[in-house]
Every structure is written in C-alpha cells, then in structure tokens.
Amino acid sequence: MDSLPCISTGIVISMLKPRSFRSLLPILLFPLFAHSQPLPAPPALAAKAWLLQELPSGQELVSQGANERFEPASLTKLMTAYLIFEAVRQGAIRLDQAVPVSEKAWRTQGSRMFIKVGTQVPVEDLIKGMIVQSGNDASVALAEAIAGSEENFAQMMNRQAQRLGMKDTHFSNASGLPEAQHYATARDLAVLTRALIRDFPGEYAKYYSMKEFLYNGINQPNRNRLLRDPTVDGVKTGHTDAAGYCLIASSKRGERRLLSIVLGTASDAVRTQESLRLLNYGFQSFDAVRLFTKDQPVSNLRVWKGTASTVKAGFTSDFAVSVPKGLSSRLKTELRSRQPLMAPVAAGQVVGTLTLSLDGKPYGDYPVVAIEAVPVAGLFGRMIDTVRLWFN
C-alpha cells in the first residue's frame, strides 16, 4: 500500500464538566480502553499466550493470555538493551569502551557469546553478542559495566519498568535465566518493545535486523528465523524449559507496521510459524485508516481567561486506527472536552478525548492535545471571562 486511506468523519463534540470527566492521561498514541466489537476470527495459535498490536500506536488487534505472568527468558534482554542504549546516549559508557570480562560473566550458563575471563571486549561487540547471539555472558558483562554488579543492574531494570508502566513485570537478572521473581506478561513486553523502538530507533534498526555475528572466530546466526522475511526487522527470541520457545517480531508492509508477541510454544519452528500466522492475520484482516494528519485540528475548543478564546486540538503525529476490512465507513468519532478549559494551555497538553465507535459499539478512546499554546490573558481579559463564566 502506498499510503493510508483517509476517511472524513463528522466530529460530535461533547463538553464535559470537570466532575463528570474522567481524569485524562498524558498523551499516548494508543487506546485507553479496548474495543469490544466483533473482530475477524483470529487464528488459534499453538502457544500459551500471544498479542498483536499496531506500531507505533499500540492499538491491540487480538490477544490471548496477555496479562498472565510468564518467565520471559531472553526477552529480558530487551530491557538490558534499553538501559545500555540509554547509558551510551547519556555518555555514561562509549561504544568503543573496553569492558573487562569478570569470572561471573564468563561462567554464566545458557546461550553465550563466548567471551573469555580476563579479556576486554568493546561495548558494541557485547551489544551485538547480546542481541544477535543472545549471549547471557555479554548481558552480564554489560550490566556490570553500567551498574557495578548484575544485582544493581536488576534494580535499574525494575525502576525503568515502573517508569514505562510495566505493571506485572519484575526482573532479577540481566540475561533472563530462570529465577522465582523474574517474570513478565505479553502486554508488558509489548510496552517495552514499543518503547525500545520509539526511544532508540537508530540503535534498533542497526542491531535487531542483524542476521549473524562473528566473534572470537565463532559465527552465530540470529535465532529469529523470521528475519529471512524481508518485511521483518526484529525483534528477539527467548527460550528456557519453563518458558518454552518465545518470539517478539516486528513486520512492516507498506505503511503499516505490526508487533507480534508469541510465548510458550513447543519449538523454534513452531514459534516462527505461529508468529508469521499472527502477523498475516493482522495484515490481511484489518485496514489502517488515517483519521487526522499531524497538527490537523480535530476541533477548536473554547478557552477561558487566555490571550485567545479558542485552542486547536488534535494530534502531534498522524493519527490512524486499524479497522476490520470493509468497515471503515462505519467508524464514528466523538470529541469530549474538559470544560471550562482555563488558560494557560501548553502545547501538547491533553485537552480532550476522541472516542471512536464502530457499528455503535466502543472502539477506543484516544487523548487529544492542544497543538498550540494559549498564554494567560491580562487582568482585564481575565475579568471579562470571569463575568462570562458566571452566566455560562
């Protein structure tokens, strides 16, 4: 598809009093409430849990067991990578910096990069070893380089998980090796993956599509076999006896990009096959429809006691949703605005909610922001609006 189709929608505007208005959340480009209309029948996957979302919006198309806690295995390394990328960006560590390999890192069990104790390995090689080869030894070495110990690094992982809103996740190590208090859910892993791709797009594109990595004379292929598909650009595999075979995949076809999470399959071949089935379902059963372009006003909302009497409300990036094929004409919108909206209003401030319905059934609520600022008026202007509010 060359471009996303656009549809025109008649906006119904509801002005809600503060006491009847639900507290609006910070601007996020994914629905606050899940849709409930009948969907195209999803495939029955041979997995314990799965989830399919649109990127970057996070709109959920289908899920099963997405809130159940599972052992995340090497999917853990997505959080390890997030913190390493952040440390590099902040200058706490350099890509060419040599990291000494501790005995603990060298002895770490499971999949390995095969680094040797007492040697020094550049940070970038450790990143490639962790992502491409899923090296547990590389993960521990990086954790120690950042936090001094893997235990300290695990605390950093949990703090970042809280900041991202991962409500049902707890990390005990940097590699994903089994521990009693090391768990996550498919939905939390989706939050983490979206954040990684959003916050570090360059790093993601550079490392997660690598098909192999040669280190110390040993060439290891990426375990994500979906990378053979040219539409797939990542993301990560995981496996332990308890977790089964897991795969998070990202695929871009035309202008649409989907994120699939499949947990707890019986083999490497099954996780690959079921992930592809889930992605195909999303691309084949839904159409992406652009409702508004970046900075296009959804509406002009009344502002009180400001230098302007209205503010343009909309989205800071193109706003599109996916709907079952052939049903886009049945999509309706309603803008609910918090009133009275008082100046100052900052650009990017949430000022309302766009409610979508499909065939009269809820299809998602999305926060709408001010796309311009409205400063506070002078004394006379504020007095005039005070009087007007008495009669409003």
Side-chain angles (χ1 to χ4, degrees):
M1 139 176 44
D2 295 328
S3 62
L4 296 181
C6 297
I7 64 172
S8 59
T9 59
I11 300 294
V12 177
I13 301 178
S14 299
M15 302 300 184
L16 301 181
K17 300 296 184 181
R19 283 179 293 182
S20 65
F21 187 80
R22 296 181 181 180
S23 297
L24 288 171
L25 301 180
I27 177 62
L28 299 170
L29 290 182
F30 54 86
L32 307 182
F33 304 101
H35 51 66
S36 62
Q37 85 298 333
L39 296 173
L45 302 185
K48 294 180 180 178
W50 61 87
L51 179 146
L52 182 67
Q53 290 185 348
E54 291 277 348
L55 288 177
S57 71
Q59 180 189 355
E60 187 171 308
L61 303 183
V62 67
S63 66
Q64 173 68 39
N67 291 324
E68 296 181 22
R69 290 179 178 179
F70 288 92
E71 188 178 300
S74 285
L75 304 180
T76 299
K77 297 182 176 78
L78 294 171
M79 178 60 82
T80 303
Y82 188 100
L83 293 176
I84 298 303
F85 293 157
E86 187 172 58
V88 171
R89 178 176 292 177
Q90 294 175 350
I93 197 170
R94 303 187 318 275
L95 289 177
D96 62 354
Q97 181 175 329
V99 174
V101 178
S102 69
E103 184 168 349
K104 178 180 179 180
W106 173 64
R107 289 185 179 276
T108 302
Q109 298 299 307
S111 53
R112 300 183 186 182
M113 178 184 172
F114 297 106
I115 52 180
K116 296 181 178 180
V117 65
T119 62
Q120 295 193 344
V121 183
V123 166
E124 186 162 29
D125 282 352
L126 291 171
I127 290 173
K128 293 176 181 177
M130 175 183 68
I131 293 173
V132 181
Q133 301 173 334
S134 202
N136 294 338
D137 49 359
S139 302
V140 174
L142 286 166
E144 292 175 340
I146 295 297
S149 71
E150 189 178 15
E151 293 74 20
N152 290 341
F153 190 80
Q155 295 179 22
M156 294 175 59
M157 296 170 76
N158 288 319
R159 287 195 294 269
Q160 184 61 41
Q162 291 178 354
R163 286 193 287 268
L164 293 176
M166 300 170 66
K167 299 178 181 179
D168 292 300
T169 293
H170 188 270
F171 296 111
S172 298
N173 60 65
S175 65
L177 286 173
E179 292 194 39
Q181 293 302 309
H182 193 88
Y183 55 82
T185 67
R187 184 159 284 119
D188 277 0
L189 291 170
V191 170
L192 173 58
T193 306
R194 289 201 315 271
L196 180 70
I197 295 172
R198 178 194 67 225
D199 297 343
F200 302 99
E203 294 86 342
Y204 173 81
K206 181 178 183 180
Y207 298 117
Y208 281 91
S209 60
M210 291 181 63
K211 294 180 175 61
E212 60 184 8
F213 177 54
L214 175 67
Y215 179 78
N216 198 24
I218 302 172
N219 189 56
Q220 296 190 61
N222 194 315
R223 290 170 171 81
N224 182 1
R225 296 203 290 168
L226 274 185
L227 288 175
R228 300 170 186 173
D229 183 331
T231 72
V232 173
D233 56 27
V235 180
K236 190 74 187 74
T237 62
H239 171 256
T240 64
D241 290 342
Y245 290 82
C246 309
L247 174 59
I248 299 178
S250 163
S251 176
K252 189 174 188 294
R253 303 180 190 177
E255 291 196 12
R256 289 183 67 198
R257 189 177 186 184
L258 296 183
L259 175 70
S260 66
I261 297 180
V262 174
L263 306 179
T265 71
S267 69
D268 177 22
V270 173
R271 72 181 171 191
T272 303
Q273 169 189 304
E274 300 300 76
S275 295
L276 184 58
R277 288 181 65 203
L278 192 57
L279 289 167
N280 285 340
Y281 163 76
F283 284 116
Q284 295 168 4
S285 300
F286 293 83
D287 286 324
V289 178
R290 183 184 291 116
L291 296 180
F292 300 97
T293 58
K294 177 183 177 181
D295 294 335
Q296 175 189 351
V298 175
S299 180
N300 293 319
L301 299 179
R302 181 69 167 94
V303 178
W304 301 91
K305 301 186 179 183
T307 56
S309 60
T310 61
V311 62
K312 295 177 181 177
F315 297 93
T316 55
S317 61
D318 287 357
F319 176 68
V321 294
S322 289
V323 297
K325 282 188 178 295
L327 299 184
S328 61
S329 62
R330 305 181 191 178
L331 195 65
K332 305 299 180 183
T333 61
E334 178 183 2
L335 178 62
R336 299 185 176 187
S337 169
R338 173 168 40 198
Q339 288 292 332
L341 179 59
M342 311 294 289
V345 177
Q349 176 182 330
V350 176
V351 292
T353 298
L354 186 69
T355 297
L356 305 183
S357 62
L358 188 64
D359 282 341
K361 298 179 180 179
Y363 200 70
D365 288 357
Y366 299 81
V368 174
V369 302
I371 55 180
E372 60 186 357
V374 178
V376 174
L379 178 61
F380 181 74
R382 297 198 305 273
M383 290 177 61
I384 293 295
D385 272 359
T386 298
V387 174
R388 288 173 174 165
L389 281 167
W390 288 345
F391 296 97
N392 185 51

